[in-house]
Amino acid sequence: MSRIREVLQTKRILTPGARRRAGEYQPVPLGLLDGGAELPFSVYVKVRPRGYPQPLFLLCCAAGQVFPRRWQVQMQELRILQVFIRREERQQAFPYLLERFKAGLTEKTRGNREKARWGYEIALLWLRHLFTLDRERLSEQMEIGFNLIEYLFEIIMEEKDPGGLALDLWRQEGLSAHGLHSCLLGLGFARYLGWKEKDAKALGFTALVHDVGMTEVPRNILEKTNPLTAAEKGVIKNHPQAGFTILWNSPFCRWQSLLTVLQHHENCDGSGYPEKLRLRQIHPWARVLRILDSFEAMVSARRWRAARAPKEALWSMRRDWEKHRLYDANYLSLFIKFLAGR
Ligand SMILES: [Fe+2]
Ligand SMILES: [Fe+2]
C-alpha cells in the first residue's frame, strides 16, 4: 500500500474499501472544490501502490455527498493538489467548476499563478470533452468556451509576463493542449499588440478551438505512427473547412473567427492550404494564428520528435521566413519581441 493511501485511509478521507473503478479519469484542482458543500460529481484520489504498474483511482467523495472541508485541508497538507473525476461526469462538472473558478478569481489571498493553473486545468478538461463530441453537439458547447476566455483574459491582464506564464503552464501534450497553449499565447500577444479587449478575446477563443475540425479525422489516421498516405493527408487537410462548418452553427462566433479557422494553414508565400492564399489575401488574425500554431507545435513534444526550446523554435521560424516567407514578417518580429519580454 502506498503511504498516501495509508494516510488517507487513517484520516478516513477515502471511502472504506475504496477500489479502483474502470474508466478514464481527468484531473481537477483540489482548491476549486467547495469544502463543506455537496459535490455534483464524484471525486477520486490517484494513488500509486508499490508493485502496481498503473495508478489506482480511489473514491474519495461520491456525487451528492458533502465534501468535508477538513479533508480538503488535510489533503492539501499532504501536498495533494488535484483530485480526479470520471470522463462520463465531465459535462455535469463544468457549471460547478466554472462557478467556482469565477468566484476564485476575486479571492485576493490567491496568487495569479494559482488561478492560471486552475484555468489551465478546467480549459483542458473542456477541450478534451469537446474533442469527443459529434458535430451536432459541438456547437452547443461553445458558450462554455466563451466563459473560459473571459476568465483567462482576466488572468492574462493581471500578469506581468504573459508569454512566460503561457510557457510555464505548458505541461500537457495533444490536440487539446495545443489549442489551449495557442490560446494563452494569443491572449498575451493580443494584449502586447494593444488590441481592443473584444478582439483579443475573440482571437483567444479562435485559437482555443481552431483545430476543432480534427474531430472529423478518424482516430486510426490521427494515431498512425507510419507515414501518412496522400489520401490520409487529404483527410487531415480538410480540418480547416470542417472547423469552419462546425463553428458556423455557433451563435457566439464572429466572422473574423470563422475566417481565421478556415485560413489558419495558409502560408504568406502561397504554399499553404486550403486555398493557397498569399499574404494580403489572408486575414490578419489567421496570420497571427499561423505563427502561434507553428510556435506551439515546435515547443511541444511529438511522438516522433522531442520538444524544442522556445528560443530555438523562434530562430527556426525566423529562418523559415527568410527562406520561404511563410509568416507575416511584421507579426513574426513582434511575436519574437513579445516572447523576449520587450
Ligand atoms: Fe490546424
Ligand atoms: Fe493547430
Side-chain angles (χ1 to χ4, degrees), residues 162-223:
L165 172 73
L167 289 169
D168 287 348
L169 288 171
W170 217 279
R171 301 237 171 119
Q172 301 292 325
E173 288 163 19
L175 207 52
S176 307
H178 167 66
L180 178 54
H181 299 157
S182 307
C183 160
L184 293 167
L185 282 173
L187 288 171
F189 189 42
R191 183 187 115 173
Y192 177 81
L193 295 174
W195 286 15
K196 280 189 254 163
E197 185 176 326
K198 194 178 160 203
D199 291 342
K201 287 177 181 170
L203 176 78
F205 174 78
T206 313
L208 192 67
V209 298
H210 73 274
D211 277 327
V212 71
M214 292 291 259
T215 50
E216 310 229 326
V217 178
R219 271 202 106 71
N220 62 321
I221 299 184
L222 283 179
E223 288 166 6

Side-chain angles (χ1 to χ4, degrees), residues 178 210-211 214 239-240 261 264-265 273 293:
H178 167 66
H210 73 274
D211 277 327
M214 292 291 259
H239 80 273
V261 167
H264 76 272
H265 283 287
Y273 61 89
D293 185 85

Side-chain angles (χ1 to χ4, degrees), residues 315-326 332:
W315 272 114
S316 164
M317 287 170 74
R318 179 151 166 84
R319 278 195 303 272
D320 280 349
W321 175 79
E322 280 171 354
K323 263 201 226 160
H324 312 290
R325 304 286 197 258
L326 294 186
L332 181 62

